[in-house]
Amino acid sequence: MYLLWLTGVCSPLAARIAFSMGTAATGLLITLIPLLPITILGLGLLTLGMFSTVPAVNLYLGEKATNAKGTAASLYLSLYYFGGSLGAVLPGFALLWEGWPGVVFLCLGIALIALASDAVLCR
């Protein structure tokens, strides 16, 4: 499973946030198929998508923030770590209540919120 982290070498290829998050979402959905090779493929796509989203967001932030780039970067990092702390807890509750499908749909819902926020705030 740790070999899936090697997909991070493809992260410089990240072009658009929606594409990389779409890749991660596709990987999440694929993990719902209960066959080990297919689940591993889904986890690989999820990892690739997430490793591609982080640099895509950083590049996007640099393009959109014309003033106070340091403040924008600090706000992004604060929200990144706050979201990460929630992401360490909430999927556990989803797993207890609804099993793996609950985790998948929670994560997909959060990704949709992120994409909707991007569309509204960063036109």
Side-chain angles (χ1 to χ4, degrees):
M1 296 310 292
Y2 287 108
L3 293 176
L4 294 173
W5 285 80
L6 291 175
T7 61
V9 300
C10 298
S11 65
L13 303 175
R16 300 197 48 87
I17 295 170
F19 177 76
S20 58
M21 289 184 78
T23 301
T26 301
L28 270 172
L29 288 172
I30 288 173
T31 64
L32 292 173
I33 299 170
L35 297 170
L36 184 59
I38 294 174
T39 301
I40 291 172
L41 171 69
L43 290 174
L45 287 173
L46 170 63
T47 308
L48 175 63
M50 294 313 298
F51 273 127
S52 297
T53 298
V54 173
V57 169
N58 282 320
L59 291 172
Y60 189 65
L61 179 66
E63 290 174 8
K64 292 295 179 182
T66 55
N67 297 325
K69 288 187 181 214
T71 302
S74 297
L75 182 60
Y76 164 72
L77 281 176
S78 296
L79 292 172
Y80 176 85
Y81 285 110
F82 176 72
S85 65
L86 290 178
V89 175
L90 294 179
F93 288 118
L95 185 66
L96 288 174
W97 292 329
E98 296 296 327
W100 181 248
V103 174
V104 168
F105 292 115
L106 171 71
C107 293
L108 288 174
I110 291 170
L112 286 175
I113 291 169
L115 287 172
S117 299
D118 176 52
V120 169
L121 297 173
C122 300
R123 293 182 200 182

